[in-house]
Amino acid sequence: MAKRIGVVRLCALTLLLFSGAAYAGNAELTADAFISYTSQGTNNGAASTLAVDANDIAFLQFDPSTLPAGTVVHANLIVYVNKVVAAGSGVNVFALQPSSWSETGITWSNGYPLLNGLSPVNAGAVAVPTSPDYMVIDVTKAVQGWTIGTGAQLGSLAIQVVTAGGTSIVLDSKENTLTSHPAVLDVTIGAVGPAGPVGAGGATGATGATGATGATGATGTGVAGATGATGATGTTGLTGATGPTGNNGSAGATGATGATGLTGATGATGPIGLTGVTGPTGGVIQRTKTATFLLCAGPCTVNETSNWKWSAYEADTVVGCLIDAQTYPTGAALTVDIQKNAAATTIFSSTVLTLADGSTSYATQTGMAAAAALSAGDYIVAKVTQIGATVAGQYVNVICSVTY
């Protein structure tokens, strides 16, 4: 039950960013099932896990009408790999809208034909973890092709292994009440601000020097005209008058054009013109997601560390965290650290949190506010470092806001 609370908080939380910038939310998961080639008439909609291997394909159905209308900026499909039989070459994801299958009716016989003619939405095979962990898949291309907002039809994502890749994994379904890690479709919606005006053009650079002249092509030789007729020989004696000059022969045909000479060397580049005035900055899209930790599933103890960790799959920045405690007794107090990479670095430390009203159903207090950068592969955990009173049988969560 403790793990279910943490997942529900992560899946249900939506964050409205700065006015006019962007909105991040989750499309509701309405159905999930897997179809099996070895049992083509069997429906597996009530199964607690989803098999993905050479004979099985997982289907996930979402309701994009629960999202506000707008431009899809980014979308991630997040699934939990419950078991890894073989990581192999990875998986592909296929998308379709409208989605016509039902959780209680889909089988291999009627589900597999839905994928005919579809191409994967991912650019290359998606690698799977080598041990149980979350898997985050970029499906922006697919969701950008969907209709979202009020009245939008259901959309589906199907996960299938790469052909002959040897991958065999098991995913959590929404019916799994033991670990409770249902699939999440996290969507960021917004619009890019208008571009600033173009700055003034720089001055034209000086003309480069003229390249050297290429070699002259060979001269064509025309055909010689025919020789005129020889005049009659006069009688021997005095030399007779010279006969008239014969007509000029016709001009010969023009010879073939000679080969083009080599191109001259390129002239030196002229100096760079002055930089134009910078236009005003356009609107910036800031995308935000949340990292939620179930810290105490019973009485908190000093140096107790959360069983969960939150991993960054790209360059992220943790911008703030808060403590969410359920039914604290009067006077209870605790201090919580947020640590990066197995306590290697403490990036946040709350002040002592004292809750005076023991009857409050939920009590929250902001404890940390400085930003901390994470690289892809880094992870963060929460740790109790000071406690002033026993919190018998209660839950304590830490929720952090992360931008990327």
Side-chain angles (χ1 to χ4, degrees):
M1 184 60 183
K3 290 185 178 179
R4 171 178 285 274
I5 291 175
V7 173
V8 169
R9 290 184 184 280
L10 175 61
C11 295
L13 183 60
T14 57
L15 179 61
L16 183 63
L17 301 180
F18 302 109
S19 176
Y23 175 91
N26 299 334
E28 180 184 357
L29 175 66
T30 60
D32 57 12
F34 73 94
I35 58 176
S36 179
Y37 176 80
T38 57
S39 302
Q40 298 189 12
T42 301
N43 169 257
N44 300 298
S48 61
T49 56
L50 307 173
V52 180
D53 52 39
N55 294 315
D56 303 302
I57 303 172
F59 275 74
L60 307 169
Q61 185 169 257
F62 297 92
D63 183 3
S65 71
T66 60
L67 298 169
T71 301
V72 174
V73 177
H74 189 80
N76 282 333
L77 172 63
I78 306 171
V79 294
Y80 185 77
V81 181
N82 180 293
K83 180 180 180 181
V84 180
V85 179
S89 300
V91 298
N92 287 319
V93 179
F94 301 84
L96 56 150
Q97 188 193 44
S99 177
S100 59
W101 59 274
S102 70
E103 188 174 62
T104 58
I106 190 169
T107 64
W108 180 277
S109 299
N110 58 34
Y112 186 75
L114 299 176
L115 304 180
N116 287 343
L118 298 181
S119 298
V121 300
N122 44 289
V126 180
V128 303
T130 56
S131 61
D133 202 351
Y134 284 101
M135 184 165 63
V136 180
I137 305 171
D138 187 339
V139 292
T140 304
K141 176 182 176 182
V143 181
Q144 284 177 336
W146 287 4
T147 300
I148 64 173
T150 303
Q153 295 178 303
L154 298 176
S156 286
L157 298 171
I159 304 176
Q160 183 180 23
V161 298
V162 174
T163 303
T167 299
S168 178
I169 57 177
V170 178
L171 309 178
D172 271 9
S173 78
K174 65 183 179 65
E175 283 78 18
N176 192 325
T177 58
L178 181 61
T179 55
S180 300
H181 300 144
V184 174
L185 181 58
D186 181 65
V187 183
T188 301
I189 300 166
V192 177
V198 177
T204 303
T207 303
T210 303
T213 303
T216 304
T219 303
T221 303
V223 178
T227 303
T230 304
T233 303
T235 57
T236 303
L238 298 173
T239 302
T242 302
T245 303
N247 295 329
N248 291 332
S250 58
T254 302
T257 302
T260 302
L262 299 175
T263 302
T266 302
T269 303
I272 298 173
L274 298 176
T275 302
V277 178
T278 303
T281 304
V284 177
I285 296 177
Q286 181 177 358
R287 300 174 290 179
T288 302
K289 52 195 172 186
T290 57
T292 302
F293 304 91
L294 176 63
L295 181 52
C296 303
C300 287
T301 59
V302 176
N303 294 327
E304 181 171 353
T305 302
S306 60
N307 289 328
W308 287 27
K309 68 179 182 180
W310 185 88
S311 299
Y313 57 91
E314 57 189 343
D316 294 330
T317 301
V318 182
V319 297
C321 301
L322 59 83
I323 309 301
D324 186 348
Q326 184 180 25
T327 319
Y328 258 71
T330 300
L334 72 157
T335 302
V336 176
D337 284 358
I338 304 301
Q339 298 180 332
K340 180 172 77 173
N341 295 343
T345 304
T346 297
I347 60 174
F348 290 119
S349 181
S350 74
T351 56
V352 176
L353 307 178
T354 302
L355 306 173
D357 183 359
S359 64
T360 303
S361 177
Y362 284 89
T364 62
Q365 179 170 344
T366 300
M368 290 147 278
L374 299 178
S375 302
D378 287 345
Y379 63 88
I380 55 177
V381 296
K383 179 179 179 181
V384 176
T385 58
Q386 179 181 343
I387 185 165
T390 301
V391 188
Q394 306 303 320
Y395 298 110
V396 176
N397 290 288
V398 177
I399 303 172
C400 294
S401 181
V402 184
T403 61
Y404 63 106

